[in-house]
């Protein structure tokens, strides 16, 4: 009778599903922390670029931009506040936040506000289009960096995966339903919708999928379960 093949290490092209303590014990901690922080800061920068392009925002940011029309807070503060509201929705879904989840909830908003403070709104249309496109592309890279660091999902991504797991619906269906819901809510509050919203919806999935393999950090302390 043939013996089972030995357990092998995960390759650099695989993502592990780890709890907070396992994330810290998985190895390559300095590299992963730096990549996580860079990814989250760039995510906030990408949000700021799209705001200054003034041609539409990502679906969740349509909601954030609507909220600040009625509450005296900055856009970044709205991002942070909504992150923690979404994390409350994790509780009935039994999702477990990781280190990256909590840092995501804070750093993206802080980075977005810093970017908006440093960057003026563009006037020529060509500059606005450039900011919009740069924001979408940078968001794809930032997403790949923070996911590839293997420190857990962001609040909104975790809501999506938790709902998909609980309902049995596909991730694509759940994501579409969530994004339509937040866009409609944002529009009702006076949020910003435009060509950038459509470009983001169409491009962010393929962009992050294209960039993710090169950004996944191999975890030497985690073996394949097979």
């Amino acid at each position: 009778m043939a013996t089972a093949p030995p357990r092998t290490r995960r390759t650099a092209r695989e993502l592990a599903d780890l709890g907070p303590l396992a994330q810290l014990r998985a190895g390559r901690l300095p590299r992963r922390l730096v990549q996580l922080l860079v990814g989250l800061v760039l995510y906030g920068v990408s949000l700021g670029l799209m705001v200054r392009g003034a041609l539409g925002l990502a679906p969740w940011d349509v909601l954030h931009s609507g909220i600040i029309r009625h509450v005296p807070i900055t856009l970044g503060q709205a991002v942070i506040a909504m992150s923690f509201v979404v994390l409350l929705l994790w509780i009935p879904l039994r999702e477990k936040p990781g280190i990256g989840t909590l840092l995501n909830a804070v750093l993206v908003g802080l980075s977005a506000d810093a970017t908006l403070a440093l960057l003026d709104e563009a006037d020529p249309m060509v500059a606005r289009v450039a900011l919009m496109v740069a924001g979408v592309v940078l968001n794809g890279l930032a997403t790949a960096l923070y996911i590839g660091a293997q420190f857990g999902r962001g609040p909104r991504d975790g809501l999506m995966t938790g709902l998909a797991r609980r309902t049995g619906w596909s991730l694509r269906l759940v994501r579409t339903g969530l994004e339509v819901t937040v866009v409609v809510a944002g529009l009702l509050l006076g949020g910003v919708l435009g060509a950038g919203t459509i470009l983001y919806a169409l491009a962010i999935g393929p962009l992050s999928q294209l960039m993710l393999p090169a950004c996944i950090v191999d975890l030497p302390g985690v073996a394949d379960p097979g």
Side-chain angles (χ1 to χ4, degrees):
M1 182 175 178
T3 59
R7 289 162 63 94
T8 58
R9 299 290 185 186
R10 291 181 181 270
T11 71
R13 295 296 180 267
E14 293 176 324
L15 286 170
D17 187 11
L18 306 173
L21 290 179
Q23 291 168 6
L24 291 173
R25 295 169 178 165
R28 306 189 71 179
L29 193 58
R31 153 72 192 277
R32 291 166 56 219
L33 281 172
V34 169
Q35 180 172 314
L36 172 67
L37 295 176
V38 169
L40 294 177
V41 169
L42 290 182
Y43 201 106
V45 172
S46 73
L47 193 166
L49 292 178
M50 292 191 70
V51 170
R52 290 301 184 226
L55 290 172
L57 300 175
W60 280 94
D61 296 323
V62 175
L63 175 61
H64 302 145
S65 67
I67 290 172
I68 64 174
R69 289 180 175 271
H70 304 275
V71 183
I73 57 176
T74 66
L75 184 67
Q77 289 168 350
V79 172
I80 294 171
M82 278 303 303
S83 294
F84 284 99
V85 170
V86 169
L87 282 176
L88 291 177
L89 299 177
W90 282 33
I91 297 173
L93 297 174
R94 298 182 182 177
E95 288 288 298
K96 296 179 180 179
I99 298 165
T101 309
L102 300 178
L103 288 176
N104 183 303
V106 176
L107 289 184
V108 171
L110 294 178
S111 175
D113 274 351
T115 302
L116 292 172
L118 295 172
L119 189 63
D120 293 328
E121 189 169 327
D123 283 330
M125 179 58 70
V126 64
R128 293 170 62 191
V129 171
L131 285 174
M132 175 187 70
V133 173
V136 172
V137 174
L138 185 61
N139 191 276
L141 174 61
T143 299
L145 285 171
Y146 96 74
I147 291 176
Q150 309 225 49
F151 278 113
R153 295 177 287 273
R156 293 154 187 81
D157 289 335
L159 177 61
M160 174 185 67
T161 57
L163 285 172
R165 179 169 51 81
R166 283 290 176 175
T167 62
W169 298 343
S170 69
L171 282 174
R172 178 175 297 183
L173 178 60
V174 171
R175 176 172 180 167
T176 300
L178 281 173
E179 293 187 346
V180 169
T181 299
V182 297
V183 165
V184 170
L187 287 176
L188 292 174
L189 292 171
V192 180
L193 177 71
T197 310
I198 298 172
L199 177 62
Y200 184 94
L202 294 175
I204 194 61
L207 280 173
S208 51
Q209 183 175 359
L210 176 66
M211 298 175 182
L212 182 59
C215 295
I216 296 176
V217 181
D218 183 28
L219 302 181
V222 179
D224 273 331

